[in-house]
């Protein structure tokens, strides 16, 4: 075996390659996004996922091999979710004041997210397993996967649909609200969290810390509500 | 900074353990977030080192979703078959959810704030 082959065998076996590549691709995607004036469709998560899928396809690498390296990044989602409590605690006084409007807006938004996906997807003739996998799309990945499993969807497809929903919300959410004349950072942030979970929250933090804090709140609350709501709706409509 | 990271992990661990003990329909990290929120509110103020570490982590929140997103590679066939219906449903439903949530909250809070 010549040396180059030996080196390649080594690289293929360590998690280092895919970990380093994920960081590099994301860093470049972020530079691109900033250089081009934060153009919404160039969302760094979206660009990174597309580039990495092309690289994996081109090199014939199975997702499991990629994830062996990338899992170290994935793991940090847990502590990052816990860390959302910090910006949230900074808004504690305002939360106490607005608990009722927040509860009502949460319920309206959560119902809209699930019911509209159910109606539109059904009307467009989505395969029933795809549709079930899509219902918990607005909440953070671990909750959504648990719900999908409970109602007979495909949890790993759900994980992907959740990410796509987050990217969609991050791309269209703030421009859409601006177009409709809504400029309140609290309403904007909360809506991003309810509709587009952590990716929406990451986008809301770019807008302002206040919007990000409310987005984290919306994400946490909607996670809990959706876990109760989706199985109930599925049972009611006999899906 | 190590102390702050350890605190975050301990709250996550507490969340995971409680979820497993009670069978609550919540992921451990989300319960960990709720517990940490209560702890910070009861304590009254967040130590600045802890706030800095948490914000540092949250600055890279978007990156943390990339590995799961690449999972789409396992479903390229299904997505290719149904891409139009999936795209229309995701975009329309997400737009509706954002608009309904934001306008409901603004309608209910604007009087108090202006």
């Amino acid at each position: 075996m010549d040396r180059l082959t030996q080196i390649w065998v080594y690289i293929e076996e360590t998690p280092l390659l895919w970990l380093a590549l994920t960081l590099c691709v994301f860093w470049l995607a972020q530079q691109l996004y900033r250089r081009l004036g934060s153009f919404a469709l160039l969302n760094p998560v979206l660009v990174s996922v597309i580039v990495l899928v092309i690289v994996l396809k081109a090199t014939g690498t199975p997702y499991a091999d990629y994830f062996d390296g990338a899992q170290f990044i994935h793991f940090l989602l847990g502590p990052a979710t816990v860390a959302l409590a910090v910006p949230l605690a900074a808004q504690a006084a305002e939360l106490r004041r607005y608990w009722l409007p927040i509860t009502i807006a949460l319920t309206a938004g959560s119902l809209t997210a699930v019911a509209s996906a159910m109606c539109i997807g059904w009307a467009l003739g989505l395969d029933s397993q795809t549709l079930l996998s899509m219902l918990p799309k607005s909440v953070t990945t671990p909750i959504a996967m648990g719900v999908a499993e409970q109602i007979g969807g495909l949890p790993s497809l759900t994980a992907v649909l959740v990410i796509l929903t987050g990217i969609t919300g991050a791309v269209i959410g703030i421009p859409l609200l601006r177009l409709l004349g809504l400029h309140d950072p609290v309403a904007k942030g909360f809506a991003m969290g309810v509709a587009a979970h952590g990716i929406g929250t990451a986008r809301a933090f770019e807008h302002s810390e206040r919007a990000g804090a409310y987005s984290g709140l919306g994400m946490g609350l909607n996670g809990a509500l959706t876990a109760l709501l989706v199985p109930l709706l599925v049972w009611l409509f006999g899906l | 900074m190590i102390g702050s990271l350890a605190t975050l992990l301990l709250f996550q661990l507490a969340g995971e353990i409680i979820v497993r003990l009670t069978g609550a329909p919540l992921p451990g990290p989300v319960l960990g977030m709720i517990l940490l929120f209560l702890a910070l509110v009861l304590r009254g103020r967040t130590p600045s080192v802890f706030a800095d570490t948490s914000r540092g982590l949250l600055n890279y929140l978007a990156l943390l979703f990339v590995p799961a997103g690449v999972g789409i590679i396992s479903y390229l066939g299904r997505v290719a078959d149904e891409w139009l219906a999936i795209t229309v449903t995701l975009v329309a439903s997400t737009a509706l959810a954002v608009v309904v949530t934001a306008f409901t909250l603004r309608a209910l809070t604007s009087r108090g704030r202006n």
Side-chain angles (χ1 to χ4, degrees):
Chain A
M1 208 170 8
D2 64 39
R3 282 200 56 192
L4 271 179
T5 323
Q6 275 178 358
I7 291 173
W8 178 245
V9 167
Y10 163 75
I11 286 176
E12 267 198 325
E13 277 174 1
T14 90
L16 202 57
L17 173 68
W18 298 114
L19 181 59
L21 195 72
T22 304
L23 286 175
C24 290
V25 168
F26 184 81
W27 184 79
L28 286 172
Q30 213 173 28
Q31 294 297 316
L32 184 74
Y33 179 68
R34 284 180 190 154
R35 291 274 160 82
L36 296 179
S38 302
F39 178 57
L41 262 182
L42 287 177
N43 181 284
V45 181
L46 179 63
V47 172
S48 304
V49 167
I50 292 172
V51 171
L52 288 164
V53 164
I54 293 172
V55 172
L56 293 190
K57 277 277 162 195
T59 56
T61 309
Y63 179 63
D65 288 6
Y66 165 77
F67 199 77
D68 270 350
Q71 64 178 321
F72 300 104
I73 299 171
H74 184 75
F75 173 78
L76 289 174
L77 263 181
T81 305
V82 177
L84 284 169
V86 172
L88 204 56
Q91 314 286 331
E94 223 172 307
L95 283 177
R96 245 176 246 139
R97 197 167 147 211
Y98 291 121
W99 69 271
L100 187 61
I102 283 172
T103 310
I104 296 171
L106 166 71
T107 312
S110 187
L111 266 174
T112 305
V114 178
S116 66
M118 198 186 251
C119 296
I120 300 168
W122 178 79
L124 293 176
L126 272 185
D127 173 72
S128 70
Q129 216 163 22
T130 308
L131 186 59
L132 285 173
S133 309
M134 194 180 268
L135 294 183
K137 67 177 172 33
S138 281
V139 300
T140 185
T141 317
I143 305 190
M145 289 177 77
V147 172
E149 196 166 17
Q150 200 185 342
I151 61 176
L154 303 166
S156 37
L157 178 61
T158 296
V160 172
L161 294 172
V162 165
I163 306 281
L164 290 175
T165 300
I167 293 171
T168 305
V171 170
I172 67 171
I174 288 178
L176 179 65
L177 291 174
R178 195 185 297 135
L179 200 70
L180 294 173
L182 190 141
H183 300 287
D184 174 15
V186 169
K188 256 192 241 178
F190 191 71
M192 293 288 277
V194 167
H197 57 88
I199 302 181
T201 300
R203 178 70 188 82
F205 269 116
E206 277 175 35
H207 179 276
S208 64
E209 169 144 344
R210 197 143 172 259
Y214 274 86
S215 192
L217 174 72
M219 165 183 138
L221 291 176
N222 195 26
L225 185 58
T226 300
L228 304 170
L229 198 65
V230 169
L232 185 72
L233 284 175
V234 167
W235 175 75
L236 274 177
F237 287 89
L239 282 174
Chain B
M1 190 189 129
I2 296 295
S4 311
L5 274 177
T7 309
L8 290 175
L9 290 173
L10 283 175
F11 272 92
Q12 184 184 351
L13 187 64
E16 305 278 12
I17 290 172
I18 295 172
V19 163
R20 273 161 188 75
L21 282 178
T22 61
L26 270 182
V30 172
L31 187 58
M33 172 184 87
I34 295 168
L35 293 174
L36 178 58
F37 171 73
L38 294 175
L40 290 175
V41 169
L42 288 177
R43 200 171 185 277
R45 61 173 277 283
T46 307
S48 66
V49 185
F50 187 65
D52 290 345
T53 306
S54 301
R55 292 203 172 102
L57 196 52
L58 291 176
N59 276 338
Y60 295 99
L61 190 58
L63 164 69
L64 311 186
F65 290 95
V66 172
V70 177
I72 196 173
I73 200 163
S74 315
Y75 293 96
L76 288 180
R78 186 181 276 263
V79 173
D81 288 342
E82 302 191 88
W83 72 271
L84 186 61
I86 289 177
T87 308
V88 173
T89 309
L90 277 185
V91 173
S93 168
T94 305
L96 280 169
V98 168
V99 170
V100 168
T101 313
F103 279 88
T104 307
L105 188 58
R106 190 182 69 167
L108 294 171
T109 56
S110 59
R111 208 182 313 147
R113 227 177 294 149
N114 293 334

